[in-house]
Coordinates of all heavy atoms in Angstrom, one line a residue:
R59 N 102.3 167.4 64.4 CA 103.1 168.6 64.6 C 102.9 169.4 63.5 O 102.9 170.7 63.5 CB 104.6 168.2 64.7 CG 104.9 167.6 66.1 CD 105.0 168.6 67.2 NE 105.1 168.2 68.4 CZ 106.1 167.7 69.1 NH1 107.3 167.7 68.5 NH2 106.1 167.3 70.4
R60 N 102.7 168.9 62.2 CA 102.4 169.7 61.0 C 101.0 170.4 61.3 O 101.0 171.6 60.9 CB 102.3 168.8 59.8 CG 103.6 168.4 59.2 CD 103.4 167.7 57.9 NE 104.6 167.2 57.4 CZ 104.9 165.9 57.1 NH1 103.9 165.0 57.1 NH2 106.0 165.4 56.7
D61 N 100.2 169.8 61.8 CA 98.9 170.4 62.1 C 99.1 171.5 63.0 O 98.4 172.6 63.0 CB 97.8 169.4 62.6 CG 97.3 168.5 61.6 OD1 97.4 168.8 60.4 OD2 96.7 167.4 61.9
H62 N 99.9 171.3 64.1 CA 100.1 172.4 65.1 C 100.8 173.5 64.5 O 100.3 174.6 64.6 CB 101.1 171.7 66.1 CG 101.6 172.7 67.1 ND1 100.8 173.2 68.2 CD2 102.8 173.4 67.1 CE1 101.7 174.1 68.8 NE2 102.8 174.1 68.2
H63 N 101.7 173.3 63.6 CA 102.4 174.5 62.9 C 101.5 175.2 62.0 O 101.5 176.4 61.9 CB 103.7 174.0 62.2 CG 104.7 173.6 63.1 ND1 105.4 174.6 63.9 CD2 105.2 172.4 63.5 CE1 106.3 174.0 64.6 NE2 106.2 172.7 64.5
R64 N 100.6 174.5 61.3 CA 99.5 175.1 60.4 C 98.7 176.0 61.3 O 98.3 177.0 60.8 CB 98.8 174.1 59.6 CG 99.4 173.7 58.3 CD 98.5 172.7 57.6 NE 99.0 171.5 58.2 CZ 99.0 170.2 57.7 NH1 98.4 169.9 56.7 NH2 99.4 169.2 58.3
L65 N 98.2 175.5 62.3 CA 97.3 176.3 63.2 C 98.0 177.5 63.7 O 97.4 178.6 63.8 CB 96.8 175.4 64.4 CG 95.8 174.3 63.9 CD1 95.5 173.4 65.1 CD2 94.4 174.9 63.4
I66 N 99.2 177.3 64.2 CA 99.9 178.4 64.7 C 100.2 179.5 63.6 O 100.1 180.7 63.8 CB 101.3 178.0 65.4 CG1 101.1 177.2 66.5 CG2 102.1 179.2 65.7 CD1 100.2 177.8 67.7
G67 N 100.5 179.0 62.3 CA 100.8 179.9 61.3 C 99.5 180.7 60.9 O 99.5 181.9 60.7
R68 N 98.2 180.0 61.0 CA 97.1 180.8 60.8 C 96.9 181.9 61.9 O 96.4 182.9 61.5 CB 95.9 179.8 60.7 CG 95.8 179.0 59.5 CD 94.6 178.1 59.4 NE 93.3 178.9 59.4 CZ 92.3 178.5 59.7 NH1 92.0 177.2 60.0 NH2 91.1 179.1 59.6
G69 N 97.2 181.5 63.0 CA 97.1 182.5 64.2 C 98.0 183.6 64.0 O 97.6 184.8 64.4
T70 N 99.1 183.4 63.5 CA 100.1 184.5 63.4 C 99.9 185.4 62.1 O 100.1 186.5 62.1 CB 101.5 184.1 63.3 OG1 101.8 183.1 62.4 CG2 102.0 183.4 64.7
E71 N 99.2 184.8 61.2 CA 99.0 185.5 59.9 C 97.6 186.4 60.1 O 97.5 187.5 59.5 CB 98.7 184.6 58.8 CG 99.9 184.0 58.3 CD 99.8 182.7 57.5 OE1 98.6 182.6 57.0 OE2 100.8 182.0 57.2
D72 N 96.7 185.9 60.8 CA 95.5 186.7 61.1 C 95.4 187.3 62.6 O 95.1 186.5 63.5 CB 94.3 185.7 60.8 CG 92.9 186.3 60.9 OD1 92.9 187.5 61.4 OD2 91.9 185.7 60.6
P73 N 95.6 188.4 62.6 CA 95.7 189.1 64.0 C 94.3 188.9 64.8 O 94.4 188.9 66.0 CB 95.9 190.6 63.7 CG 96.5 190.7 62.3 CD 95.9 189.5 61.5
S74 N 93.3 188.7 64.1 CA 92.0 188.5 64.8 C 91.9 187.2 65.6 O 91.2 187.0 66.5 CB 90.8 188.6 63.9 OG 90.8 187.5 63.0
L75 N 92.8 186.3 65.2 CA 92.9 185.0 65.9 C 93.9 184.9 67.0 O 93.9 184.0 67.8 CB 93.3 183.9 64.8 CG 92.4 183.6 63.6 CD1 93.0 182.6 62.8 CD2 91.0 183.3 64.2
L76 N 94.7 185.9 67.1 CA 95.8 186.0 68.2 C 95.1 185.8 69.6 O 95.7 185.1 70.5 CB 96.6 187.2 68.2 CG 97.8 187.1 67.1 CD1 98.5 188.4 67.0 CD2 98.7 186.1 67.5
P77 N 94.0 186.5 70.0 CA 93.4 186.4 71.3 C 93.1 184.8 71.6 O 93.2 184.4 72.8 CB 92.2 187.1 71.3 CG 92.4 188.2 70.3 CD 93.2 187.4 69.2
V78 N 92.8 184.0 70.6 CA 92.6 182.7 71.0 C 93.8 181.9 71.4 O 93.8 181.1 72.2 CB 92.1 181.9 69.7 CG1 92.0 180.4 69.9 CG2 90.7 182.6 69.2
L79 N 95.0 182.3 70.9 CA 96.2 181.7 71.3 C 96.9 182.5 72.4 O 98.1 182.0 72.8 CB 97.2 181.8 70.0 CG 96.7 181.1 68.9 CD1 97.6 181.3 67.7 CD2 96.8 179.6 69.1
D80 N 96.3 183.4 73.1 CA 96.8 184.0 74.2 C 96.7 183.2 75.5 O 95.7 183.3 76.2 CB 96.2 185.5 74.3 CG 96.8 186.2 75.4 OD1 97.9 185.7 76.0 OD2 96.5 187.4 75.5
A81 N 97.8 182.5 75.8 CA 97.8 181.6 77.0 C 98.9 182.2 77.9 O 99.5 181.5 78.7 CB 98.1 180.2 76.6
Y82 N 99.3 183.4 77.8 CA 100.4 184.1 78.6 C 99.8 184.8 79.7 O 98.7 185.3 79.6 CB 101.2 185.0 77.8 CG 101.8 184.3 76.5 CD1 101.0 184.5 75.2 CD2 102.8 183.3 76.5 CE1 101.6 183.6 74.1 CE2 103.3 182.8 75.4 CZ 102.6 182.8 74.2 OH 103.1 182.1 73.1
E83 N 100.5 184.9 80.7 CA 100.2 185.8 81.9 C 100.3 187.2 81.5 O 101.3 187.7 81.1 CB 100.9 185.4 83.1 CG 100.5 184.0 83.6 CD 101.3 183.5 84.8 OE1 102.3 184.2 85.1 OE2 100.9 182.6 85.5
G84 N 99.3 188.2 81.8 CA 99.4 189.5 81.4 C 99.0 189.8 79.9 O 98.9 188.8 79.2
D85 N 98.8 191.0 79.7 CA 98.5 191.4 78.3 C 99.9 191.5 77.5 O 100.9 192.2 78.0 CB 97.8 192.8 78.3 CG 96.4 192.6 78.8 OD1 95.8 191.6 78.8 OD2 96.0 193.6 79.5
L86 N 99.7 191.0 76.3 CA 101.0 191.0 75.4 C 100.6 191.8 74.1 O 99.5 191.7 73.6 CB 101.4 189.6 75.0 CG 102.1 188.7 76.0 CD1 102.4 187.4 75.3 CD2 103.2 189.4 76.6
H87 N 101.5 192.6 73.7 CA 101.3 193.3 72.4 C 101.3 192.1 71.4 O 102.0 191.2 71.5 CB 102.4 194.2 72.2 CG 102.3 195.0 71.0 ND1 102.6 194.7 69.6 CD2 101.7 196.3 70.8 CE1 102.3 195.6 68.7 NE2 101.8 196.7 69.5
P88 N 100.4 192.4 70.4 CA 100.4 191.3 69.2 C 101.6 190.9 68.6 O 101.9 189.7 68.3 CB 99.3 191.9 68.2 CG 98.5 192.9 69.0 CD 99.5 193.4 70.1
D89 N 102.4 191.9 68.5 CA 103.8 191.6 67.8 C 104.7 190.6 68.8 O 105.3 189.7 68.4 CB 104.6 192.8 67.6 CG 104.1 193.6 66.4 OD1 103.3 193.1 65.6 OD2 104.4 194.9 66.4
T90 N 104.5 190.9 70.1 CA 105.2 190.0 71.1 C 104.6 188.7 71.0 O 105.3 187.7 71.1 CB 105.2 190.7 72.5 OG1 105.6 192.0 72.4 CG2 105.8 189.8 73.5
Q91 N 103.3 188.6 71.0 CA 102.7 187.4 71.0 C 103.1 186.6 69.7 O 103.4 185.3 69.8 CB 101.1 187.5 71.1 CG 100.5 186.2 71.3 CD 98.9 186.3 71.4 OE1 98.4 187.3 71.4 NE2 98.3 185.1 71.5
R92 N 103.2 187.2 68.6 CA 103.6 186.5 67.5 C 105.0 186.0 67.5 O 105.3 184.8 67.1 CB 103.4 187.4 66.2 CG 102.0 187.4 65.6 CD 102.0 188.1 64.2 NE 102.1 189.5 64.3 CZ 101.1 190.4 64.5 NH1 99.9 190.0 64.8 NH2 101.4 191.7 64.6

Side-chain angles (χ1 to χ4, degrees):
R59 291 283 169 82
R60 280 188 190 126
D61 287 343
H62 171 79
H63 288 289
R64 273 182 275 208
L65 290 169
I66 297 299
R68 287 184 62 198
T70 58
E71 292 166 6
D72 183 349
S74 71
L75 297 177
L76 279 177
V78 175
L79 296 170
D80 189 356
Y82 306 100
E83 293 177 345
D85 292 329
L86 289 181
H87 187 276
D89 289 341
T90 303
Q91 189 177 0
R92 279 193 285 276

